[in-house]
Amino acid sequence: MPAVIVVGTQWGDEGKGKIVDYCSKHADFVIRYQGGTNAGHTIVLGEKVFKLRLVPSGVFYGNRVLIGSGVVIDPEVLLKEIDDLTSNGVDVSLVVSGKAHVILPYHPILDGSWEKTRGKGEIDTTKRGIGPTYTDKIARRGIRVFDLVNKTYEERVRWNVRLANRILQYVLQVGHKLDVKEILQQCSNWSDRLLGYVGNVSEVINSALQEKQNVLFEGAQATFLDIDHGTYPYVTSSNPIAGGACVGAGVGPTRIDKVLGVCKAYTTRVGKGPFPTELDDDVGFHLRETGREFGTVTGRPRRCGWLDLNMIRYASMINGLTSLALTKLDVLNGLEHLKICVGYRWRGLDTTSLPIHDMGSCEPIYIELEGWETLLHGDKLCSEAKAYIAKIEEETGLSVDYISTGPKRVDTICRRSVW
Ligand code: IMP
């Protein structure tokens, strides 16, 4: 009975929510291990579309869902999400780690204000306070869920608000002044409601693994947004990679059995930063419109381009991937020819490795494959799509175990289950 990590292999928005939901059918526990309200995991169930930002995507199969210490939590968003799910008839059996850090109202304000001062060098963050919350965590002045529920936050919140006000006034020179009384009142409101959800997440997960139950670790964002291994500084402030699951859930690496990489059939990116296969033409337009490539959290149009297998090879190395889930294959319908990047020309050299520090200087080397009009004939993939998948497998050395051919659960081909 395995422990499986589901991780994004590109710049996020690969459709991890759908894959986690699909695999959750046979899971006992699903745990989110990093990120915060910058994530937006979309799950389509019948006529209903759910967009989850904090609650793990496994919630719809009635599993126990957990939020690990690596996640940063905006209590307002989390409590609303729980209420919305409950009012839609979803049973939310959630345990939240007391060690997780809390996004307080000054974090999004600082996030937006720091972005403004960067000018042209802006990262284009989601402005949900993610960076400043992780900054406070590392600087050892953060507020944890434990502090909220034990009501041990007041002195530190007062100190943090004083500090934030000074940064806003003297460093960033924006007119914003935070009202500490209001923030303390919000903390007090959240405290009692969160109390019912707090538990020892690492102990729950480790006992589950001991009892040989199926545990799914759900990553948010993705490999190329990883603070250590992504396209720094155009990254998020956490570790979405598989290694981050051990830290953010509190389990040892020897406990992990499989790492499933979610890979979109093409590439997208929101925000600034290098993107070798980006398309600024009709094909890019087709991908954005057909794939509905607009941010779940911010509504921003996503940059679109061809599939880049150099990226997937790098993701395979960094995460120790054991197989792939290929998503949104149907979005390629109607394109006469398809390109796949199989290497880069970098500083005059042809290479199949990825110089992550200088990705902006990489020119893609493409191969061209035949496109298709109709992806499925009955429940069988067309021969051109099979060839596209075979090329991915050949170039990455990974088997494509899941293929997503549309947004619904039924639009999924499972060639080999992770369980
Ligand atoms: P932050 O995580 O809000 O600090 O944003 C840092 C970078 O990561 C920005 O380029 C965001 O657009 C990007 N980002 C953050 N979360 C996601 C996500 O869930 N999907 C795609 N991009 C994301």
Side-chain angles (χ1 to χ4, degrees):
M1 294 284 167
V4 179
I5 300 173
V6 177
V7 68
T9 58
Q10 294 153 318
W11 279 293
D13 311 312
E14 295 94 350
K16 294 181 291 298
K18 179 189 160 168
I19 297 299
V20 170
D21 170 68
Y22 189 86
C23 294
S24 294
K25 186 169 183 190
H26 300 291
D28 299 297
F29 292 82
V30 182
I31 175 164
R32 176 79 185 268
Y33 60 84
Q34 48 68 234
T37 41
N38 46 351
H41 293 165
T42 306
I43 292 117
V44 181
L45 297 179
E47 296 310 306
K48 285 190 181 163
V49 179
F50 294 91
K51 291 180 191 291
L52 299 178
R53 290 162 67 187
L54 284 167
V55 174
S57 306
V59 71
F60 300 103
Y61 274 112
N63 297 304
R64 277 194 90 183
V65 290
L66 303 102
I67 296 180
S69 63
V71 176
V72 288
I73 295 172
D74 183 331
E76 196 71 29
V77 174
L78 177 63
L79 293 169
K80 185 170 181 311
E81 208 164 282
I82 295 170
D83 289 344
D84 287 350
L85 286 165
T86 310
S87 65
N88 273 290
V90 181
D91 180 19
V92 183
S93 168
L94 173 71
V95 187
V96 177
S97 171
K99 294 184 265 186
H101 279 246
V102 179
I103 303 176
L104 286 166
Y106 43 87
H107 291 122
I109 294 167
L110 286 167
D111 195 357
S113 306
W114 278 114
E115 276 286 87
K116 270 194 201 131
T117 61
R118 287 194 183 103
K120 277 194 178 160
E122 70 169 348
I123 292 161
D124 208 3
T125 73
T126 59
K127 301 184 183 60
R128 295 301 189 270
I130 306 302
T133 309
Y134 280 113
T135 302
D136 280 2
K137 172 177 174 172
I138 301 302
R140 292 161 294 179
R141 57 172 180 253
I143 308 294
R144 302 194 294 173
V145 171
F146 272 143
D147 297 312
L148 276 192
V149 297
N150 294 333
K151 301 194 192 297
T152 51
Y153 53 82
E154 182 167 342
E155 201 181 324
R156 207 159 342 127
V157 168
R158 284 190 184 280
W159 190 78
N160 280 345
V161 171
R162 255 199 319 273
L163 183 66
N165 273 334
R166 284 184 200 162
I167 293 172
L168 290 168
Q169 191 178 350
Y170 300 115
V171 181
L172 302 172
Q173 300 185 336
V174 288
H176 214 105
K177 183 127 196 314
L178 297 150
D179 180 351
V180 71
K181 271 203 202 125
E182 209 177 291
I183 295 171
L184 287 171
Q185 184 57 53
Q186 278 172 301
C187 290
S188 162
N189 297 346
W190 296 325
S191 172
D192 295 338
R193 275 210 66 196
L194 278 179
L195 186 61
Y197 295 102
V198 180
N200 192 331
V201 165
S202 356
E203 213 163 276
V204 174
I205 287 296
N206 279 287
S207 315
L209 291 171
Q210 194 71 30
E211 287 162 20
K212 310 235 174 290
Q213 294 193 288
N214 284 350
V215 179
L216 204 56
F217 296 77
E218 176 179 12
Q221 291 82 47
T223 306
F224 285 83
L225 289 174
D226 185 274
I227 185 85
D228 286 84
H229 299 286
T231 46
Y232 192 90
Y234 300 103
V235 291
T236 191
S237 300
S238 64
N239 288 112
I241 59 163
C246 293
V247 180
V251 301
T254 50
R255 297 300 198 155
I256 305 301
D257 298 288
K258 292 181 182 173
V259 184
L260 176 66
V262 184
C263 167
K264 188 144 61 178
Y266 49 98
T267 314
T268 61
R269 162 159 223 178
V270 241
K272 297 276 173 67
F275 183 171
T277 62
E278 183 169 13
L279 293 168
D280 192 16
D281 60 8
D282 289 353
V283 177
F285 183 80
H286 170 101
L287 296 173
R288 187 173 310 111
E289 292 302 310
T290 315
R292 295 174 303 283
E293 296 295 354
F294 298 88
T296 313
V297 175
T298 58
R300 290 174 294 176
R302 296 178 185 142
R303 299 157 66 191
C304 297
W306 293 119
L307 178 61
D308 182 341
L309 292 183
N310 247 13
M311 288 178 65
I312 309 306
R313 273 193 289 262
Y314 178 85
S316 178
M317 172 184 78
I318 294 289
N319 294 291
L321 297 184
T322 49
S323 64
L324 288 174
L326 186 67
T327 57
K328 297 187 98 165
L329 193 57
D330 54 310
V331 175
L332 301 181
N333 291 357
L335 294 172
E336 206 179 331
H337 301 287
L338 303 171
K339 287 185 183 177
I340 299 182
C341 167
V342 291
Y344 293 146
R345 191 150 300 130
W346 178 62
R347 299 189 182 177
L349 291 172
D350 288 359
T351 176
T352 50
S353 66
L354 190 145
I356 191 74
H357 62 290
D358 195 21
M359 214 172 155
S361 310
C362 294
E363 278 175 48
I365 299 169
Y366 288 116
I367 52 161
E368 200 167 292
L369 280 82
E370 285 301 305
W372 57 82
E373 216 33 71
T374 315
L375 178 60
L376 290 166
H377 298 297
D379 58 356
K380 300 264 181 298
L381 289 167
C382 64
S383 58
E384 294 85 357
K386 281 189 193 151
Y388 193 78
I389 295 167
K391 195 72 203 165
I392 295 171
E393 293 185 318
E394 181 194 322
E395 289 284 334
T396 62
L398 293 164
S399 75
V400 173
D401 285 352
Y402 295 90
I403 300 153
S404 174
T405 58
K408 297 190 177 147
R409 268 181 189 161
V410 290
D411 304 325
T412 314
I413 298 168
C414 174
R415 291 164 143 187
R416 193 175 55 160
S417 167
V418 285
W419 308 116

